[in-house]
């Protein structure tokens, strides 16, 4: 039996990182679009903001993919934990999935005018 | 492109093609939006059919295919290719198509300006109000007339619960929501009549809340609108006059308006030109004298829960006179 | 396995037979009518599944009535009012009383077996949920027989369901039906989260968990986040119906669309809540029939989690036609696309597993249902993608195209896997296998019947036929298609009836282990078992233990693995750590009891009587229900005074656990997540209504807010209360000792909290704000109502803790009963302060 | 155990089937049976009356109305202070009790329940006006007053002089025909208001409407335990004569109501309330409308409000006219009802000379 237990919450965050990023981006663009349009912001500004948020989200997911191992350590997942490779794979694929969703969400801002 | 696609998929799916008939069919377009959505629909159908066939073939190979194929299929790489790469490509294509079309609709609405028709959903009929250039309004019911080739902006509101306005041959549906007013742009591309119906469950007689759309050449439309704006025709025959008297003394005017008479009710359909409409009771009955008589005396059987009480208080002769009068309101 | 390997087992020595007798005694199921007090998951699970099946049949019968009415145009078989009631009850029953409970039932039935746990961690809680569900469900359903059934559709859109347009109690019965499923769903979610994370067998790390357990874990997590939205929605609706707080009335600043947001924020995940466990089941059946491990275990886990995640970003795609700005629709359209990918992953993983069969994929009845599922669900998924494209949805929304789509998804995605499950797992719970021969007929009838019934509906919808219509005119082009659909529906029904015949002929239920392992499957539920589950709890080193750990059945049955006995003399199972599954302690579980049954009956009575406005008897029932709950909980915190127990392999575990590692702490945290999620729904609604009608918001549209001293006082009280709660947990005496200050600290905490809530209400009341005035005032008081609800629960819990102290059952070691109250207290204080910031701060900065 | 039960059942069956038991009304029950039956009756009434709530019964007119109906509908069996019951009734078993002290024996709730529901196996009928339980309180008011006055001096002050032949078998439940005075006893006369708000003033009401109402009562289409037996006894000539006599009379003077209420009522009467789908009352209830529709400004606010409430509660659905009004009454709130009633009772702006309203030329509807 190993001495160091992995953190439950940390492991969950690690596995879900890509999707969490999508969730944050999605909430942000939805709220920003709804609020700013409701109170009369210029549509081009809203579109720009949506795209900016999307850009940041894409970068964050990319960063996660690049620095996956250090992130895992940061989140309390020991390197020698059983089935570590499985967790890494899941986290990576999840990030790819999240990335697709983030890009699609941003894509709509290219194609549709805001506040209409 | 659209034609070709239509023909191809039509040939492939005879059964589907049979959906292209019917006065309320979404696949028969008499409007710009409907025809655009129609082409997107065929694209999506073709893509879906292709994917379905692909999956079926894959399952068949997985079950009975040659070992080499089975071996290829059974790798995790196949799962990632088939389950991620393929869907991402297909879905990106569809998302772009869908968004582009949605944007076209948005642009159309932004161009078409102030609403010139207001439709108010009520339990369970449609009040249709035409706004004339001089600022006056003309109320009608359960029938929408449009000039061909002009994008018309229509404001949608409700007097009670949520309804949804849907004229499938013209375009998609849009809800009527208390406290809000939604605007839809309709553009008829060819003259003719089609049917529409309430698409959001609105309780009781939801099933019996339909209407007709009549698209007219612009000249005919203008002529019709000026006729519609005029007061009601005065009764000509003795029977019609008796009918009018019955109408006025029996309380019909409490709810209905017949412009040019003392009937000025505001809670039920305007009957000024009821005789010229295609149907009665929100496309529930044909428009003839017999239908009027049935409606007056037994409307709760024809359209249960509708808000008009049954006036089963007339003798047959009186009913005939009333119906004759109402039918004469062309 | 060699003899030397055998030596390395946790308990290599032969075990005495007396241990089995002890286990049998501890786990004995009550006989006769007292079976209703039983808590064993195999007994309760079977009752649960039977009840869900009953509701499937009842709702299915209504479906057949609907199809009969629609067979020909202008039919008079059902009248308008009855039809409206029937389609409402059909949808409500299928979604709330069949689909979700059926999946929870399978969780109760299968999870402990798959995890080789002796039972779920809170056996009485699941039994309580089952009885509340059965009573509530039957009462709800029976309303259709005497014209009292709701007629607002299963989605109950406001304002149609407000008092003005739906007078009478009919709509309230819908809220009642939902109330029960909410209770049992959340009870089930707690059970499943704690069960999958904490009662896995030693060595079964997260990455070795059976896919079904993954699916159920995500299922439960989704319930935790999705159900609170609809709970909150139904609270608002019932409050508006009963007391006129205008949440949904546009004329007073409310918004009917708020209901739609809340309902679909639940309603869309609901679809995946139903689908995920079914997909999990398929992922269990396919490898068995292929005779090899699942290809793509890891992508499937990703797919399950991804589905659960994305499903929360789709709700607006039920509202594409409400006139929301196009770009918002675009976001939701994109998310709807994203959710299709995980389905693709799973689809190809199953195909890959089939392709990789050792030898040939076995075509058994379960496999047929799985193949049928693959076909139907593919079509349903693709029409789903079509519907996710906004322009197409504008045409087909609320038409029979959508009816076809979601029946493909739900029947294809859930009912077919469920029938596969019945045929596949029946031998686990029955002394006899179901008939393979009849099963093929059942499948044939259902598959053909289903497609004949629902495929034409795509066309009916495209031809313009809207949903929820009780009649349609002749000659619009819907006649033939409808007739075909009806014929198909009868065929589908015939298939289901044939299945019942199969059940009657062959199903011989037993809770003492069934037929062995007829399919030669690799997962733990096929271990030899009896009423106590497996004789010993295995050490797991692989994903398919029965395939990859040869001899496991025999070792387990001979007691060579963990906990081969009942060392405390009662019911117990091993609690392991959530990620690696290392044994942590022995969980002692309660046995059969009348308390939870009484609680369920009187909870049902409470809601029922309240629905028909008999307030006083309702309150009496409520009090009895709470008393029964307290009596039930009283026995749950046994004395820790025992030495650690040796479970084998040199591991000895404590038999009592408090604090963050205990199962009850986990359950409380799960519950708090549910409550927090409900409060999030509140905050969303508050801000949403502000966006819709800022004109009724304070200070412009309503009385000025109370002076800052009010909220500050309230916050100060909350802080003081928290401090005295912390003090109380510090003041716990040593075992056997006393500390007279403890009750006072508890009382101070309770008083501080109630006064904080009262102060907040009083402040607004004194400014002249009344909840019926407008949407703003209703929202302000609603926040306090939510706090007051928690305050009430806390007062009860603290009273309970005080009673424990006074009877000498609360001390530094044995402290679970105050610990749970305390963490709920801290949460509530935080929620209260957050609410103060929102209600008092927001209007001051927003204007 | 099983044998005992089976034997008991067989014995019971034997008694029932053999016809040994004598159902003759001339032979009283055994004292024991009688006591048990009385106890059962008492308990049953007490239990079933538990949910009843007594309204304010102090109104003199209510008791007066009750006394008038009592004379007509109850006295033939129960008798009065100065008249024995009908001899036929005296031969009933159990004999209908005299009711001088009814209110001491029973609570008002129990009396109400008994009159409204009747008593099985006693000959006491249920109230014949289905859904008109509101009328029953008039009798309860009368019976309570009766006991009070009996307690004082033994002579009931509200006890009407019973027509000498009211108790005769021939005139069982048949009122004095053609007598306008008889009708006026309850409905009031020129200058005199009706005895109670339950009762409409008929003066100046439209003829066709009055005739219609009498027909509807007589055919059991419109419900009233008081009016049905009376209307049933009238033939067409009598109905016409009565309708003519009353329609020719002058209407009662207007009521003074609450100004705000009247204003609100006027608004509804003239313009309706479109939001709530309420049409204007005056569209039908005006002088120009069909004379089958009643004139409302001759009625008391109390009566209008009560009738609207009855219609709202679906208790006037027996006639097509009632159904029309039910649809509308269901859209009215209680405040709307009170306002409209106040308005019409205060109105009377139209000429009161009824001769100027010939029946509608078309006779419609």
């Amino acid at each position: 039996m190993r001495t160091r237990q992995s953190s439950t919450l940390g492991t969950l965050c690690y596995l879900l990182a890509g999707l969490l990023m999508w969730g944050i981006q999605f909430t942000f663009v939805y709220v920003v679009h709804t609020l700013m349009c409701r109170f009369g912001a210029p549509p081009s500004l809203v579109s720009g903001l949506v795209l900016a948020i999307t850009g940041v989200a894409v970068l964050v997911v990319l960063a996660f993919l690049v620095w996956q191992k250090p992130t895992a350590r940061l989140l309390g997942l020991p390197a020698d934990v059983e089935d570590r490779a499985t967790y890494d794979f899941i986290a990576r694929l999840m990030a790819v999935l999240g990335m697709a969703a983030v890009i699609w969400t941003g894509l709509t801002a290219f194609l549709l005018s805001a506040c209409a | 492109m659209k034609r070709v696609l239509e023909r191809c998929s039509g040939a492939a799916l005879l059964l589907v093609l049979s959906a292209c008939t019917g006065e309320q069919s979404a696949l028969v377009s008499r409007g710009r939006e409907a025809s655009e959505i129609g082409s997107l629909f065929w694209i999506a159908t073709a893509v879906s059919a292709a994917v379905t066939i692909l999956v079926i073939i894959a399952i068949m190979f997985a079950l009975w295919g040659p070992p080499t194929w089975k071996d290829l299929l059974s790798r995790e790489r196949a799962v990632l290719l088939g389950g991620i790469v393929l869907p991402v490509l297909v879905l990106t294509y569809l998302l772009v198509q869908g968004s582009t079309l949605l944007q076209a609709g948005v642009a159309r609405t932004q161009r078409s300006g102030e609403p010139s028709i207001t439709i108010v959903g009520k339990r369970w009929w449609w009040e249709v109000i035409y706004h004339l250039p001089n600022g006056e309004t003309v109320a009608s019911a359960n029938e929408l007339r449009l000039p061909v080739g002009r994008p018309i902006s229509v404001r949608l509101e409700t007097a009670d619960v949520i309804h949804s306005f849907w004229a499938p041959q013209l375009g998609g549906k849009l809800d009527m929501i208390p406290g809000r007013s939604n605007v839809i742009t309709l553009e008829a591309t060819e003259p003719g009549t089609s049917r529409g119906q309430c698409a959001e469950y609105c309780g009781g007689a939801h099933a019996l809340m339909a209407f007709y759309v009549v698209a007219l050449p612009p000249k005919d439309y203008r002529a019709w609108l000026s006729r519609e704006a005029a007061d009601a025709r005065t009764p000509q025959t003795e029977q019609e006059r008796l009918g009018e008297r019955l109408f006025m003394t029996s309380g019909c005017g409490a709810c209905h308006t017949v412009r040019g008479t003392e009937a000025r009710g505001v809670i039920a359909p305007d009957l000024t030109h009821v005789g010229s409409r295609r149907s009665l009771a929100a496309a529930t009955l044909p428009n003839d004298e017999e239908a009027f008589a049935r409606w007056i005396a037994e409307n709760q059987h024809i359209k249960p829960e509708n808000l008009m009480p049954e006036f089963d208080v007339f003798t047959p002769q009186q009913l005939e006179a009333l119906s004759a009068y109402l039918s004469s309101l062309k | 396995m060699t003899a030397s390997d055998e030596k390395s087992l946790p308990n290599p020595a032969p075990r005495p037979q007396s241990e089995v007798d002890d286990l049998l005694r501890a786990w004995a199921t009550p006989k006769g009518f007292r079976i209703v007090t039983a808590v064993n998951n195999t007994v309760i699970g079977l009752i649960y599944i039977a009840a869900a099946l009953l509701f499937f049949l009842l709702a299915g019968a209504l479906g057949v009535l609907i199809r009969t009415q629609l067979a020909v145009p202008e039919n008079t078989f059902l009248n308008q009012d009855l039809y409206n009631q029937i389609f409402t009850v059909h949808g409500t029953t299928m979604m709330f009383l069949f689909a979700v409970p059926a999946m929870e039932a399978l969780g109760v039935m299968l999870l402990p077996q798959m995890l080789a746990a002796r039972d779920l961690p809170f056996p009485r809680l699941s039994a309580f949920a089952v009885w509340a569900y059965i009573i509530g469900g039957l009462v709800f359903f029976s309303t259709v027989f005497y014209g009292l059934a709701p007629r607002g559709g299963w989605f109950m859109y406001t304002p149609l369901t407000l008092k003005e347009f739906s007078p009478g109690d009919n709509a309230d019965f819908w809220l009642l039906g939902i109330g029960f499923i909410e209770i049992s769903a959340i009870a089930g979610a707690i059970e499943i989260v704690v069960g999958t994370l904490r009662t896995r067998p030693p060595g079964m790390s997260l990455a070795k968990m059976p896919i079904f357990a993954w699916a159920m874990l995500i299922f439960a997590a989704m319930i935790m986040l999705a159900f609170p939205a609809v709970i909150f929605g139904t609270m608002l609706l019932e409050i508006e119906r009963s007391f006129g707080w205008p949440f949904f009335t546009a004329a007073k600043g409310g918004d009917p669309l708020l209901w739609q947001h809340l309902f679909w924020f639940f309603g869309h995940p609901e679809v995946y809540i139903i689908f995920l466990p079914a997909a999990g089941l398929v992922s269990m059946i396919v490898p068995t029939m292929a005779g090899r491990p699942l290809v793509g275990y890891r992508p499937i886990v990703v797919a399950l989690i991804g589905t659960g995640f994305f499903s929360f970003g789709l709700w607006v795609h039920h509202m594409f036609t409400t006139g929301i700005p196009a770009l918002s629709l675009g976001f939701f359209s994109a998310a709807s696309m994203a959710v299709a990918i995980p389905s693709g992953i799973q689809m190809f993983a199953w195909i890959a597993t089939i392709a990789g069969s050792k030898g040939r994929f076995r075509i058994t009845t379960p496999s047929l249902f799985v193949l049928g599922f693959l076909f139907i669900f593919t079509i349903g998924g693709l029409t789903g993608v079509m519907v996710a494209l906004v322009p197409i949805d504008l045409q087909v929304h609320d038409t029979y195209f959508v009816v076809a789509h979601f029946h493909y998804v739900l029947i294809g995605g859930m009912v077919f896997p469920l029938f596969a499950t019945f045929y596949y797992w029946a031998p686990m719970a029955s002394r006899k296998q179901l008939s393979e021969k009849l099963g093929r007929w059942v499948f044939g009838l259902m598959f053909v019947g289903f497609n004949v019934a629902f495929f034409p509906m795509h066309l009916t919808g495209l031809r313009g036929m809207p949903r929820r219509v009780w009649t349609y005119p002749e000659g619009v082009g819907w006649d033939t298609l409808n007739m075909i659909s009806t014929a198909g529906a009868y065929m589908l029904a015939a298939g289901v009836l044939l299945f019942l015949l199969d059940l009657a002929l062959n199903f011989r239920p037993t809770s003492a282990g069934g037929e062995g392992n007829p399919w030669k499957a690799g997962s733990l539920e096929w271990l030899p078992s009896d009423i106590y589950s497996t004789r010993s709890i295995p050490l797991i080193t692989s994903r398919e233990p029965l395939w990859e750990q040869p001899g496991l059945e025999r070792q387990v049955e001979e007691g060579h693995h963990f906990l081969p006995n009942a060392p405390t003399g009662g019911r117990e199972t091993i609690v392991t750590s959530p990620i690696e599954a290392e044994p942590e302690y022995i969980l002692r579980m309660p046995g059969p009891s009348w308390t939870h049954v009484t609680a369920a009956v009187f909870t049902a009575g409470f809601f029922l009587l309240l629905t028909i406005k008999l307030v006083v008897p309702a309150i009496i029932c409520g009090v009895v229900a709470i008393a029964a709950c307290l009596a039930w909980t009283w026995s749950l915190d046994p004395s820790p005074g025992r030495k650690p127990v040796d479970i084998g392999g040199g591991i000895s575990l404590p038999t009592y656990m408090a604090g963050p590692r205990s199962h009850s702490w986990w359950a409380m945290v799960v519950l708090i997540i549910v409550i927090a999620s409900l409060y999030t729904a509140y905050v969303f609604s508050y801000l949403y209504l502000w966006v819709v009608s800022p004109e009724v918001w304070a200070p412009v549209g309503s009385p000025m807010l109370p002076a800052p001293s009010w909220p500050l006082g309230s916050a100060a009280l909350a802080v003081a209360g928290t401090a005295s709660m912390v003090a109380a947990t510090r003041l716990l005496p040593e075992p056997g000792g006393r500390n007279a200050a403890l009750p006072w600290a508890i009382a101070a905490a309770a008083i501080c909290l109630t006064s904080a809530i009262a102060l907040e209400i009083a402040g607004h009341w004194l400014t002249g704000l009344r909840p019926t005035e407008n949407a703003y005032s209703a929202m302000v008081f609603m926040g306090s109502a939510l706090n007051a609800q928690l305050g009430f629960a806390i007062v009860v819990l603290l009273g309970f803790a005080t009673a424990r102290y006074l009877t000498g059952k609360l001390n530094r070691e044995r402290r679970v009963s105050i610990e749970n109250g305390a963490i709920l207290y801290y949460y509530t204080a935080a929620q209260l302060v957050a609410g103060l910031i929102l209600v008092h701060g927001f209007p001051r900065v927003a204007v | 155990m099983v044998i005992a039960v089976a034997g008991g059942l067989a014995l019971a069956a034997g008694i029932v089937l053999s016809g040994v038991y004598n159902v003759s009304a001339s032979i009283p029950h055994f004292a024991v049976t009688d006591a048990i039956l009385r106890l059962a009756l008492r308990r049953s009434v007490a239990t079933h009356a538990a949910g009843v709530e007594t309204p304010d019964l102090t109104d003199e007119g209510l008791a007066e109305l009750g006394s008038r109906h009592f004379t007509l509908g109850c006295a033939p069996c129960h008798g009065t202070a100065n008249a024995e019951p009908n001899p036929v009734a005296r031969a009933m078993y159990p004999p209908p009790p005299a009711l001088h002290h009814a209110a001491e024996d029973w609570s008002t709730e129990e009396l109400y329940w008994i009159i409204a529901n009747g008593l099985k196996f006693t000959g006491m009928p249920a109230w014949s006006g289905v859904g008109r339980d509101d009328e029953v309180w008039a009798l309860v008011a009368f019976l309570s007053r009766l006991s009070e006055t009996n307690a004082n001096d033994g002579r009931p002050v509200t006890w009407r002089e019973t027509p000498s032949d009211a108790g005769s078998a021939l005139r069982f439940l048949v009122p004095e025909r053609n007598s306008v005075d008889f009708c006026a006893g309850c409905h009031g006369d020129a200058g005199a208001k009706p005895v109670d708000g339950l009762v409409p003033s008929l003066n100046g009401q439209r003829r066709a409407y009055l005739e219609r109402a009498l027909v509807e009562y007589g055919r059991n289409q419109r419900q009233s335990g008081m009016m049905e037996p009376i209307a049933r006894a009238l033939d067409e000539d009598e109905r016409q004569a009565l309708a003519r006599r009353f329609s020719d009379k002058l209407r009662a003077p207007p009521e003074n109501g609450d100004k705000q209420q009247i204003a609100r009522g006027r608004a509804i009467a003239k313009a309706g309330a479109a939001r709530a789908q309420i049409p204007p009352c005056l569209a039908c209830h005006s002088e120009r409308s069909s004379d089958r529709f009643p004139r409302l400004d001759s009625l008391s606010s109390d009566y209008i409000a009560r009738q609207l409430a009855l219609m709202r509660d679906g208790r006037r659905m027996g006639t097509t006219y009632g159904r029309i009004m039910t649809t509308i009454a269901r859209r009215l709130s209680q405040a709307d009802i009170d306002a409209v009633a106040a308005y019409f009772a205060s109105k009377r702006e139209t000429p009161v000379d009824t001769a100027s309203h010939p029946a509608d030329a078309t006779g419609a509807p």
Side-chain angles (χ1 to χ4, degrees), chain D residues 47-118:
Chain D
T47 303
H48 285 92
V52 178
E53 260 178 66
T54 307
D56 179 23
L57 296 179
T58 52
D59 179 33
E60 276 302 326
L62 193 65
E64 168 87 13
L65 176 65
S67 93
R68 285 178 178 275
H69 180 77
F70 189 93
T71 311
L72 212 68
C74 314
C77 291
H78 290 285
T80 65
N82 59 358
E84 288 290 295
N86 184 304
V88 173
R90 265 188 294 176
M92 290 168 74
Y93 187 83
L99 298 178
H100 305 78
H101 300 282
E104 291 152 41
D105 295 346
W106 303 95
S107 70
T108 48
E109 292 81 12
E110 289 169 336
L111 282 176
Y112 167 83
W113 189 86
I114 294 170
I115 300 168
N117 296 286

Side-chain angles (χ1 to χ4, degrees), chain B residues 18-19 21 24 26 45 52 70 73-74 76 82 91 94 166 168 173 175 180 182 199-201 204-206 304, chain C residues 80 84 151 255 260 295 298 321-322 337 341 348 352 355 382 386 389 394-395 397-399 462-464 468 688:
Chain B
S18 72
T21 57
Q24 199 165 318
T45 305
T52 311
K70 287 176 77 165
L73 262 178
S74 67
E76 196 169 89
L91 294 174
L94 287 177
W166 185 37
K173 58 183 73 63
D175 294 353
R180 289 164 187 252
N182 279 332
E200 182 56 81
Y201 177 66
H206 163 63
Chain C
Q80 173 178 302
N84 289 344
R151 43 171 91 90
D255 187 11
Q260 296 191 17
V295 179
R298 299 173 304 173
T321 65
T322 55
M337 297 287 146
I341 301 179
F348 278 90
L382 288 164
M386 293 170 79
L389 295 171
L394 295 182
Q395 278 287 22
H397 178 74
D398 272 339
T399 68
L462 290 168
R463 285 183 158 202
R468 301 154 188 156
Y688 177 85

Side-chain angles (χ1 to χ4, degrees), chain D residues 201-218:
Chain D
S201 164
L202 304 181
N203 298 342
Q205 187 52 276
R206 302 172 109 175
R207 244 173 77 189
Y209 171 71
L210 287 177
E211 272 187 66
R212 170 162 84 77
L214 285 171
V215 169
E216 288 169 354
Y217 280 128

Side-chain angles (χ1 to χ4, degrees), chain C residues 596-745:
Chain C
H596 64 271
V597 183
T598 315
V601 170
F602 282 90
T603 309
F606 172 73
F607 282 112
L608 275 173
L609 293 167
L610 212 54
T611 307
I612 52 173
K613 314 281 183 297
L614 291 175
V615 179
V616 175
I619 290 173
I620 296 172
C621 280
V623 171
V624 176
I626 290 176
C629 284
L630 293 178
W632 152 17
T633 343
W634 192 260
S635 62
L636 288 189
D637 186 20
S639 162
R642 277 171 198 279
K643 291 205 169 58
V645 168
D646 178 25
I647 61 163
I651 302 171
S652 80
L653 297 178
T655 60
Y656 187 89
M657 182 65 72
R661 281 164 76 199
S662 79
H663 62 289
S664 80
W665 193 89
W666 275 62
M668 194 40 112
V669 168
V670 171
L671 187 62
I672 286 176
I673 294 174
V674 170
I675 297 168
S677 162
L678 187 113
Y679 199 73
T680 311
Y682 165 73
V683 174
F684 166 81
S685 305
Y686 178 98
L687 296 172
Y688 177 85
L689 286 183
W690 169 71
V691 171
V692 172
S693 19
E695 69 279 359
V696 301
W697 238 251
V700 281
S702 279
M704 290 298 290
L705 287 158
S709 52
W710 288 89
L712 287 176
S714 187
L717 279 168
V719 172
T722 307
S724 68
M725 199 64 229
V726 173
T729 53
R730 299 267 162 83
L731 289 171
L732 290 175
E734 290 301 324
R738 291 265 148 187
N739 188 341
L742 178 64
W744 294 107

Side-chain angles (χ1 to χ4, degrees), chain C residues 264 268 271-272 311 313-321 324 329 332-333 335-337 339 384 387-390 393 397 405:
Chain C
W264 290 118
H268 202 90
V271 175
Y272 294 97
S311 69
L314 314 179
W315 81 91
V316 168
H317 86 205
H318 295 261
M319 301 165 65
F320 278 169
T321 65
I324 289 171
L329 300 187
F332 286 93
S333 185
S336 309
M337 297 287 146
V339 83
V387 171
L389 295 171
V390 181
D393 186 68
H397 178 74
H405 156 67

Side-chain angles (χ1 to χ4, degrees), chain A residues 35-48:
Chain A
L35 278 185
M36 292 187 67
C37 295
R38 178 72 174 79
F39 297 103
S44 53
L45 175 68
V46 179
S47 291

